[in-house]
Amino acid sequence: MSEHGFWSRVRQARLGRLLLVYAGASWATLEATDFFINRFGLPPWFLSAALIFLVAGLCILTATALVQARPAGQDPEGPTAWDIDLADFKEAVSQGRLPRLTWARAIVGGALVFGLLSTGAGLHMLFSGSGDEASAPPAAEDADRSPNSIAVLPFVNLSADPANEYFSDGLAEELLNVLSRIPGLKVAARTSAFAFKGQNLSVAEIGEALNVETVLEGSVRQSGDRVRVTAQLINVSDGFHVWSESYDRELTDIFAIQEEIARAIVGALEVTLGGESELGLAAASTSDVDAYNDYLRGRHFWNRRTLAAFDSAILYFSRAVLLDPEYARAYAGLAQTFVLLPEYGGSTIPDILPYARAATERALSLDPESAEAYVASAYWKALFERDWNGAEHDYLRAIELDPDHATAHQWYAELLAISRRWDEAVAEASQAYALDPLAPAPNFMYGIALGYSGRSDEALARFNAGVEYGPDVVNAHYLLAFHHVRNGDYGRAAAAFDRTAELRGSDPEVYRAYLAALSDSTRVQTAVDALTSSPVFGTIGAAEYLANLNRVDEALAALEIAYEAGNPYLPWANAMPEFDVMRSDPRMVAFLAKLGL
């Protein structure tokens, strides 16, 4: 076709008008799709699907219009674009040729495409509830969104040195801690809020996931002794800025900046402040900027939760207290690091307990209202000293001082589960999960409490979420595996145990022998031999596997070995269903009595 013929056909097809109308219809379709996605929680791929349909439709519509355009002078009295002839349509189809495009047919086709999208959306809303709950937005489904609720996102490091990221993260975390002390203000936990770091998500998506009404975000630019902090408070429902401000100060003014930001947020949210919260905002834990920097570095490494990172955390917390011996939060940081070392393969309980106790007592002597110190105190009282009443007192005190302390709720739920107080354990674990829904550990604990209290399906959703948010956390796969075992789903348990072995670096054949023995009693002895000769991952090591195989003598021997080794999680034997078979055995009763249970 010549260039003249092509443009003649374009004119005859009235392609300009066609494209203009199609563009308007496409815009309306995309706006409607976006509305339904936000209104009904449809997955974002619906928008992509609509866009693909529209682009494909544009190509088909343009090509068809050009093919069917009549050259000038031909059939001037023929059908117009608005004509529709059903007989002509049927005849064209029967002869295997393309029916003539008309506006009416184009509109009907567009309506059919939109109808397909709407049908897909309706089916998604109808059946999405029947799938795995872990795929749903991880907002706390049991609670309505509070009007005075906030998530503090990690501040962006705009400094020339990427190593200053600890400072921008630390400033956001400090603001989170200050805001969490304000009565009437719900603050999302750090782990969940920081889970969005580096992700290009909208404020609406973040607010939905964290179940909050407002989001605080900002940036930090540090240059020499000066720091520039920009912060903005954004309303989740409409994306509008409630408040924003920039601060360009000397680094020594960082504490004043924190207080100004906190007070501005409180004012913007119209939270009523009482005397206690005034003190909480005004109190500065240190005036030494170098000590503060070391404290932020310590928290930066503590949050990584690895043995090597804990060593660095201890170094920086120790430097902070050397620079400022009155720095209560640095002592609390030390205490919280010491209590976790045995869990991560570090110092044993007898070696670390004196340090944990000394750091806790020093922190509380400097700040009797340190929730962080009370949490550490409760932890070592429960799992190191078996002082269950003292531990419960300290957990309750920590929660009283900081009701939004997710770790306090989570660890208190562990104590309640160990004591077989199931309803209370579920309530506390639910609170930890609501505050920190994107962290693996609160999902684990909620799943444990639900599963042990007989709510298996709900527990599975939380274990699956734990795997999703902590794919490289060995506990996630191990707990999921045991949940499948309790439900007789050995196939899925095998996959979870394989991942456990991979992450732990242990022999997968031990787990396979265990699963084989569960379904074939003739293979029990082979599994027992494997479990007693090779290391296996578990809360209490081989004991829980052996108990589940009804090998009581071997399970009791494994418990005694774990006791001599100072395993801090032995009290879980009082709660785990695997030990139900031997719970009435006098030897088991005597063993639990040694643990104060």
Side-chain angles (χ1 to χ4, degrees):
M1 181 187 297
S2 67
E3 182 177 351
H4 174 74
F6 172 77
W7 287 112
S8 175
R9 183 156 293 192
V10 168
R11 287 193 299 272
Q12 290 296 323
R14 297 174 179 176
L15 199 57
R17 184 199 304 177
L18 181 71
L19 295 179
L20 185 62
V21 173
Y22 192 83
S26 299
W27 177 83
T29 300
L30 292 175
E31 285 295 306
T33 305
D34 188 56
F35 168 79
F36 283 113
I37 288 173
N38 292 323
R39 176 64 179 85
F40 297 108
L42 299 177
W45 60 260
F46 269 98
L47 189 61
S48 300
L51 185 60
I52 291 171
F53 270 119
L54 291 170
V55 171
L58 175 63
C59 296
I60 294 171
L61 199 65
T62 303
T64 305
L66 290 173
V67 168
Q68 296 183 350
R70 296 183 300 275
Q74 292 187 15
D75 194 17
E77 302 298 326
T80 67
W82 292 101
D83 291 334
I84 182 167
D85 187 337
L86 187 59
D88 176 60
F89 184 89
K90 291 180 178 178
E91 181 184 356
V93 172
S94 64
Q95 294 177 2
R97 58 186 176 85
L98 188 67
R100 177 169 294 281
L101 177 69
T102 67
W103 283 111
R105 289 172 184 168
I107 293 170
V108 170
L112 287 173
V113 170
F114 193 74
L116 286 173
L117 287 171
S118 300
T119 302
L123 290 173
H124 173 81
M125 289 187 286
L126 181 61
F127 294 108
S128 61
S130 62
D132 181 7
E133 289 183 29
S135 64
E141 66 270 14
D142 297 330
D144 293 330
R145 215 179 288 177
S146 169
N148 288 328
S149 55
I150 187 171
V152 182
L153 302 184
F155 281 25
V156 178
N157 174 35
L158 298 180
S159 305
D161 187 357
N164 284 343
E165 187 169 324
Y166 80 90
F167 187 84
S168 54
D169 283 356
L171 177 58
E173 186 175 356
E174 288 292 278
L175 283 169
L176 185 154
N177 290 327
V178 169
L179 293 172
S180 68
R181 301 189 191 107
I182 299 172
L185 182 61
K186 178 190 171 187
V187 184
R190 178 201 184 275
T191 308
S192 288
F194 276 49
F196 297 98
K197 186 173 183 177
Q199 298 188 33
N200 188 25
L201 295 178
S202 69
V203 169
E205 291 172 304
I206 294 172
E208 178 68 21
L210 297 179
N211 195 31
V212 295
E213 287 289 346
T214 52
V215 168
L216 178 70
E217 61 181 15
S219 62
V220 179
R221 186 186 301 275
Q222 188 177 348
S223 178
D225 293 332
R226 295 197 66 82
V227 61
R228 180 179 178 81
V229 178
T230 300
Q232 47 266 349
L233 185 68
I234 304 171
N235 196 22
V236 167
S237 62
D238 54 21
F240 289 149
H241 283 65
V242 179
W243 163 87
S244 63
E245 190 61 77
S246 294
Y247 305 86
D248 195 349
R249 309 280 182 80
E250 295 289 334
L251 191 57
T252 52
D253 292 334
I254 191 63
F255 309 112
I257 293 175
Q258 288 179 18
E259 183 174 337
E260 285 185 46
I261 294 175
R263 289 187 182 279
I265 292 169
V266 168
L269 295 178
E270 298 181 350
V271 178
T272 302
L273 291 177
E276 182 179 351
S277 55
E278 285 282 359
L279 290 174
L281 283 175
S285 52
T286 183
S287 58
D288 190 313
V289 174
D290 291 332
Y292 177 73
N293 267 298
D294 281 332
Y295 171 79
L296 293 184
R297 289 187 177 98
R299 277 295 171 196
H300 174 75
F301 285 105
W302 186 84
N303 285 312
R304 292 186 178 182
R305 300 296 183 94
T306 66
L307 189 58
F310 283 149
D311 287 341
S312 297
I314 291 172
L315 169 65
Y316 285 114
F317 286 141
S318 298
R319 281 181 25 171
V321 297
L322 285 173
L323 290 168
D324 183 358
E326 307 296 308
Y327 199 172
R329 296 196 66 195
Y331 283 108
L334 278 171
Q336 290 184 322
T337 309
F338 289 143
V339 299
L340 292 177
L341 286 178
E343 175 183 349
Y344 286 83
S347 302
T348 63
I349 290 175
D351 289 337
I352 207 64
L353 178 56
Y355 295 97
R357 181 187 290 112
T360 304
E361 292 173 352
R362 178 61 174 160
L364 289 173
S365 69
L366 293 168
D367 181 6
E369 296 190 346
S370 170
E372 295 166 322
Y374 273 111
V375 169
S377 174
Y379 190 89
W380 58 256
K381 283 181 180 178
L383 296 182
F384 293 4
E385 293 190 328
R386 323 294 189 207
D387 178 6
W388 307 108
N389 291 332
E392 183 166 14
H393 170 274
D394 287 354
Y395 279 135
L396 291 173
R397 180 60 177 148
I399 292 170
E400 178 186 4
L401 291 168
D402 185 359
D404 290 343
H405 200 305
T407 301
H409 289 285
Q410 177 202 326
W411 288 358
Y412 183 37
E414 293 181 14
L415 182 149
L416 294 168
I418 288 170
S419 304
R420 304 182 67 83
R421 293 156 61 180
W422 305 125
D423 291 343
E424 295 172 87
V426 169
E428 285 299 322
S430 172
Q431 185 68 9
Y433 164 70
L435 290 166
D436 205 1
L438 303 188
N443 278 281
F444 300 161
M445 190 56 235
Y446 198 12
I448 290 170
L450 289 167
Y452 288 8
S453 58
R455 296 161 64 176
S456 179
D457 291 342
E458 296 172 81
L460 178 59
R462 299 279 56 82
F463 288 132
N464 281 330
V467 170
E468 179 183 351
Y469 304 137
D472 296 327
V473 178
V474 65
N475 268 340
H477 302 276
Y478 149 77
L479 290 170
L480 179 61
F482 259 93
H483 183 81
H484 286 314
V485 167
R486 293 180 194 120
N487 287 281
D489 191 344
Y490 299 149
R492 290 184 178 179
F497 273 132
D498 282 347
R499 182 63 175 146
T500 301
E502 179 184 356
L503 290 170
R504 190 67 176 179
S506 53
D507 184 2
E509 293 301 324
V510 180
Y511 305 99
R512 293 168 188 167
Y514 164 68
L515 290 174
L518 289 173
S519 54
D520 182 356
S521 59
T522 65
R523 306 178 71 172
V524 170
Q525 188 57 51
T526 301
V528 171
D529 293 340
L531 289 165
T532 53
S533 61
S534 301
V536 63
F537 182 80
T539 302
I540 318 175
E544 59 213 74
Y545 296 83
L546 293 165
N548 206 33
L549 293 172
N550 202 17
R551 298 299 289 260
V552 175
D553 292 341
E554 290 89 343
L556 285 166
L559 285 175
E560 291 293 346
I561 292 172
Y563 182 85
E564 293 299 325
N567 185 318
Y569 302 111
L570 273 176
W572 278 103
N574 194 48
M576 297 176 71
E578 285 68 32
F579 293 97
D580 287 349
V581 67
M582 52 194 289
R583 203 166 299 285
S584 60
D585 189 301
R587 294 171 295 173
M588 184 64 174
V589 173
F591 180 81
L592 292 175
K594 291 197 299 185
L595 305 178
L597 296 166

